[in-house]
Amino acid sequence: DLGMPISALDLLNNYAVVFVTAFVVTLLLTPLIRRLALEAGVTDHPDNERKLHRYPVAYLGGLAVFLGLIAAIAVSFVFAGGVTAVYRNVPMAVVLGMVAITVTGLVDDVWGSTPRLKIAGQLVAAAGLAYFDIGVLVAGGMLLPLAAQVHPIFGNEQFVYWTGTALIAAFVLGGCNAANFLDGLDGLLSGVVAVAALGLLCICVLMAFQIPPGVNAEETLTCARIVLCLALLGAVLGFLPHNFNPATIFLGDCGSHLLGFMCVVIILMLGEYGQTHLVAAGLIIFSVPIMDTTLAIIRRLLAKTPMSAADDQHVHHQLARSLGVKGAVFAIYGIGFA
């Protein structure tokens, strides 16, 4: 109780500048980064199988999204005021994780790298989240109710911490790679993430008025979650005009992994105090990439092919063959909204 009335509109109005900053910075920087990528020869060439574009398209779009996100988060530190001024800002662990994910993805896009390097960057990002207790209590919310029925060790704080850390690593690795798998058509991933960010924003705003008993509202990540949702929504909407069919620039691994990481961070932050039911709600919102990745894993297990092997049997590829690229993209947007 901050001693003053607060509404959802108050929260959104206080952070409208975050959305605008992410949108404008990404929208304006993307053409400049596209030119840089073309001059450096960092392009994706069509192969008439999985890559359906007709001409080489610049990579490095993820760098524009990253800069838009960083600018928006920085603005949230400066312009927070009124009722939001007393809340916690976005934890630096999230920013450091964004840097780790972006740098390792950028190295792969520009020079090429092994999957181990990208996994290393994702694990560094996950370790940062665990160190600052972002998402650790998600495991506690699942394990503590089982303690009395199973074994006292499941209620031990150290056990919960390390299990939570492992869960965070699984979330980060899964989310980053699920987003990367879905990034197969012009505007697909950026649009799906925009839809997901909108859904996550709705949950985050509602959570602002349902603080757990005995918890000081000022100590929660209430506004940090809203900032991340607005920054993510603004950045992908600023990138989408350049990325929609026919795309002039692609996200690259740098961008797809970053978008997956941002969604995962927000979902983990929904379980700040062990509210696993809200984390489940977040996973449902992010379920389009999860479903596509699950099908890809099953498909490759049945075919006995490596998990890293690329194919043209993803849901979006199959829809594109019958509906065309734009038709497939809009169909998957619709699934995401549903």
Side-chain angles (χ1 to χ4, degrees), residues 144 147 151-161:
L144 292 178
H151 194 280
I153 191 174
F154 285 95
N156 180 275
E157 289 185 3
Q158 284 296 317
F159 181 83
V160 170
Y161 176 82

Side-chain angles (χ1 to χ4, degrees), residues 67-294:
L67 294 174
L69 288 168
I70 289 295
I73 292 171
V75 161
S76 74
F77 280 80
V78 177
F79 288 96
V83 294
T84 61
V86 298
Y87 285 98
R88 289 175 61 187
N89 288 312
V90 174
M92 289 308 298
V94 175
V95 177
L96 294 175
M98 291 167 59
V99 172
I101 295 291
T102 303
V103 169
T104 51
L106 197 59
V107 168
D108 184 60
D109 288 337
V110 177
W111 295 286
S113 66
T114 63
R116 291 181 180 179
L117 178 63
K118 289 183 283 188
I119 291 174
Q122 292 160 20
L123 289 177
V124 167
L129 297 178
Y131 184 79
F132 287 92
D133 290 338
I134 298 174
V136 170
L137 289 183
V138 173
M142 292 186 292
L143 294 177
L144 292 178
L146 299 174
Q149 289 84 7
V150 183
H151 194 280
I153 191 174
F154 285 95
N156 180 275
E157 289 185 3
Q158 284 296 317
F159 181 83
V160 170
Y161 176 82
W162 288 110
T163 305
T165 300
L167 189 65
I168 291 170
F171 267 58
V172 171
L173 290 172
C176 290
N177 289 286
N180 187 49
F181 277 165
L182 191 68
D183 188 27
L185 296 178
D186 295 354
L188 178 58
L189 179 61
S190 47
V192 166
V193 169
V195 173
L198 190 60
L200 292 170
L201 178 62
C202 292
I203 292 181
C204 292
V205 170
L206 292 172
M207 285 181 68
F209 306 99
Q210 298 180 14
I211 305 298
V215 174
N216 187 345
E218 299 173 23
E219 298 174 355
T220 68
L221 294 170
T222 296
C223 285
R225 287 188 291 261
I226 293 173
V227 165
L228 291 177
C229 288
L230 288 172
L232 181 59
L233 181 60
V236 291
L237 289 180
F239 181 70
L240 193 55
H242 305 285
N243 185 231
F244 196 74
N245 184 263
T248 60
I249 188 170
F250 291 154
L251 284 165
D253 281 1
C254 165
S256 61
H257 289 158
L258 177 62
L259 294 186
F261 176 73
M262 294 301 295
C263 289
V264 163
V265 167
I266 297 168
I267 291 169
L268 286 172
M269 289 170 72
L270 297 179
E272 180 183 8
Y273 292 99
Q275 306 102 311
T276 51
H277 60 293
L278 295 179
V279 174
L283 291 174
I284 292 171
I285 289 173
F286 191 63
S287 61
V288 171
I290 293 173
M291 288 188 294
D292 180 59
T293 301
T294 302

